[in-house]
Amino acid sequence: MNPQAPRATATRVLTRGDVAALMSPQDYLDAVRDGFAALAQGHAVAPEPLHVASEHGGFHAKAASYSSVLNKPARSFVALKFNANMPGNGAMFGLPTIQGALLLCNSDNGQLLAVMDSTELTLRRTAAATALAAQHLARPDAATLAVCGCGAQALPQVEALLQVLPLRRIRLWDIDSAKSHALRDVLVARGGLDVAAAASVREATGEADVIVTCTVSRTAWLSRDDVRPGTFIAAVGADSPSKSEVAPGLMAAAKVVVDSIAQCAVMGDLHHAVAAGAMRADQVHAELGQLVLGTRPGRSARDEICIFDSTGVAVQDAASAAMVYARANERGVGALIDFAGDGPAPT
């Protein structure tokens, strides 16, 4: 069977390894840029996520419709991602913190086009949003990156930012120092960067031009005193109402850009800043899609602190999954399963 034209009812099934082999950090950046542009232009819809709490973490379902605005020919998709987020999984079960699957459908006829592992996609599309925001909000000569929280999200964040900024120094901090040292060893082995593990948040962030926070903290720990003028901060960890990383006072002192005002107002660091009375939701400078389209400006002064509140919008998943699916069809990657028929589709 021609891999570019699977049977009408065939669904392409992609493992994490399949997804990882099909896309580069630049691919995710391109996909996420298109997704945010579509959202800002009304060519995508991302309803509020569904959250289900559990004893050791939680589950969330995120869905979006999406039609490309930057890539032609455009096709229309609907994606539904269901993820588990269990911070203690490594220690308790030897499993990844994030696990799940994504369903990609043709929005015109409802066909289930693909079922794919969502772990790699989630990590990479989150990092791509950081890099996209950095293109608009970081100083173009930013040289020093601080990564606070050195779990699975940390390396994709570094790799994505290296695509868009001339980074030369990386400082790593984690409450579990073994994680920061392990990531340091990985990055040092790649060469070309000055990488060190820091003993404290302040040691990591004090000289940073860019800070990424990707912890599972439920209490804000990054304060105004930890950040120098002109810093760009990507606040990635607060992706549920109970999580918090950036102090309300720091949020109030910064130019705040969000992935979605509606979503960040209920589950991001914006949510906590508003609840604390430090700022109002209408004081948010822009949504990321507005920066992509140029309808709102990005950084306007060298010494201003800019924060990207990143809660993860489902259009990032939809746009990334659509590109993964296209690449898989082109290359014949993944199994073809006829879920709607009587058995496996021929390949």
Side-chain angles (χ1 to χ4, degrees), residues 188-215:
V188 166
R190 296 188 176 193
L193 294 168
D194 172 5
V195 187
S200 67
V201 170
R202 186 74 56 83
E203 183 180 324
T205 64
E207 299 300 322
D209 303 307
V210 176
I211 299 171
V212 175
T213 66
C214 46
T215 73

Side-chain angles (χ1 to χ4, degrees), residues 23 26-36 66 319-320 323:
M23 298 275 280
Q26 183 62 50
D27 292 330
Y28 280 102
L29 181 60
D30 293 341
V32 167
R33 180 185 291 109
D34 189 57
F36 277 110
Y66 157 75
S320 298
M323 186 178 284

Side-chain angles (χ1 to χ4, degrees), residues 30-40 43-44 66 68-70 315-316 319:
D30 293 341
V32 167
R33 180 185 291 109
D34 189 57
F36 277 110
L39 188 63
H43 294 280
Y66 157 75
S68 173
V69 296
L70 301 180
V315 72
Q316 298 167 239

